[in-house]
Amino acid sequence: MSQWTSVCTHAHTDYGLSSTCKIVNYAVHGNPARPCVHVAMVTKDSVGSPNVTRLRELARKHPAACSVVVYDPNDEVDMGRVVKEISDKSGDSGVNLVYTCPDWCDEDPESQLEDVTEETISRSFHHNCVVPVILSKLFYPALQCAARANPSKTLNRRRAAIVHMISEAGSLGDHFTDTRGHMYAYSASLAAMIMSMKTMSYEFNKRKDDILAFAVITNTPHVARRGDGDGLPETYDVTTTRDLISEVVHAAGEEAHGKCLYFRDGRDVSY
């Protein structure tokens, strides 16, 4: 039986951790129609952080459903090596779902135009746009493989999809930009990632790749323990006990292609 493989390229972030826990929880307890394998990619500089420690605990407890791999976001050769290892393990089934959730910000929310530096802008663009785009390029053949292995009349995440989780904290309408400051580098880098996603979706259409590409505009979820004794955390939205982001991703189909969906209700929004 073919397997369904998902990859989180920024599993060391808060959302990366919570979504990994959700997927592994489903793989272990959800009685999926086919084996589910999740790969949590973490950056070299995040190793030793509490999030990565929890990811490794999860992988040790459920090795068939989860693995943790480390990559250097400043080295495209190393990223290529890691992606090749993941793709080779998925075999003819390919990689069905790749989702990025970059969240690099080293600006003070109170920063103003006078505080902007070339170094800050370059770092934000590299981590929030360049790395996700390069990883998308590297995973492209495995996504193509998954699309061919799962013929369907419509685009969906069960077949082949790449999803970019983008924080609303960098958007033009967010309170950070309206009342507390500007975060020039952060906002610009996330907007660039949105445009990269849209360009990607146009190219997939032109090539008839049958790969779904879209973005989800998120808040900052947190992780809490389920308390049922199995050691798997459950994800929660900051205002509800439902994982709204996962619901949007799971419901997304062909109509979501190239769009930015708001995490609370799945509506198409401008960034």
Side-chain angles (χ1 to χ4, degrees):
M1 180 186 296
S2 64
Q3 67 182 28
W4 185 85
T5 300
S6 60
V7 180
C8 177
T9 63
H10 297 74
H12 52 279
T13 64
D14 287 346
Y15 179 73
L17 171 63
S18 64
S19 60
T20 293
C21 293
K22 187 76 174 180
I23 290 175
V24 175
N25 185 40
Y26 173 73
V28 174
H29 300 297
N31 192 28
R34 51 180 169 162
C36 295
V37 178
H38 181 70
V39 181
M41 294 179 63
V42 302
T43 58
K44 185 169 68 173
D45 58 356
S46 71
V47 174
S49 68
N51 281 4
V52 174
T53 298
R54 293 185 68 183
L55 286 168
R56 285 180 162 164
E57 290 174 355
L58 193 64
R60 279 195 294 269
K61 184 163 186 179
H62 304 285
C66 180
S67 62
V68 178
V69 297
V70 180
Y71 70 98
D72 186 348
N74 298 306
D75 184 347
E76 186 173 345
V77 173
D78 187 62
M79 288 190 280
R81 173 190 61 81
V82 170
V83 171
K84 185 178 184 305
E85 290 178 1
I86 296 170
S87 301
D88 287 348
K89 287 182 180 179
S90 67
D92 294 337
S93 298
V95 173
N96 303 89
L97 174 63
V98 175
Y99 59 99
T100 73
C101 40
D103 196 25
W104 178 277
C105 182
D106 55 1
E107 293 175 277
D108 187 329
E110 305 291 343
S111 65
Q112 302 295 323
L113 180 59
E114 294 84 353
D115 303 313
V116 177
T117 67
E118 180 180 354
E119 183 180 7
T120 300
I121 293 175
S122 296
R123 280 199 303 266
S124 292
F125 264 81
H126 178 77
H127 289 284
N128 293 335
C129 183
V130 175
V131 171
V133 171
I134 293 298
L135 288 170
S136 300
K137 176 190 76 171
L138 294 170
F139 274 114
Y140 178 55
L143 286 163
Q144 287 180 305
C145 184
R148 289 192 299 267
N150 297 274
S152 172
K153 293 182 179 179
T154 61
L155 302 178
N156 59 74
R157 60 156 182 100
R158 296 175 185 84
R159 187 179 187 186
I162 182 161
V163 186
H164 301 287
M165 307 294 177
I166 306 293
S167 172
E168 65 178 342
S171 67
L172 292 174
D174 184 72
H175 69 280
F176 277 85
T177 53
D178 284 343
T179 63
R180 292 182 53 190
H182 299 281
M183 297 196 299
Y184 282 86
Y186 186 64
S187 298
S189 65
L190 295 183
M193 186 61 245
I194 291 290
M195 290 310 301
S196 297
M197 177 276 298
K198 288 183 175 293
T199 303
M200 207 176 298
S201 70
Y202 299 150
E203 184 170 6
F204 290 167
N205 279 347
K206 186 177 180 180
R207 294 187 177 190
K208 301 186 185 302
D209 279 324
D210 295 325
I211 300 172
L212 177 63
F214 64 99
V216 177
I217 309 305
T218 74
N219 67 341
T220 306
H222 66 280
V223 178
R225 290 283 176 180
R226 286 180 57 199
D228 58 3
D230 68 359
L232 282 172
E234 179 78 283
T235 55
Y236 291 90
D237 173 66
V238 293
T239 56
T240 77
T241 57
R242 296 165 55 198
D243 184 357
L244 301 178
I245 300 173
S246 292
E247 290 180 15
V248 169
V249 172
H250 292 175
E254 194 161 352
E255 73 286 346
H257 193 55
K259 295 181 179 179
C260 301
L261 307 181
Y262 191 52
F263 79 99
R264 292 190 184 278
D265 51 22
R267 74 182 187 278
D268 184 23
V269 296
S270 61
Y271 194 72

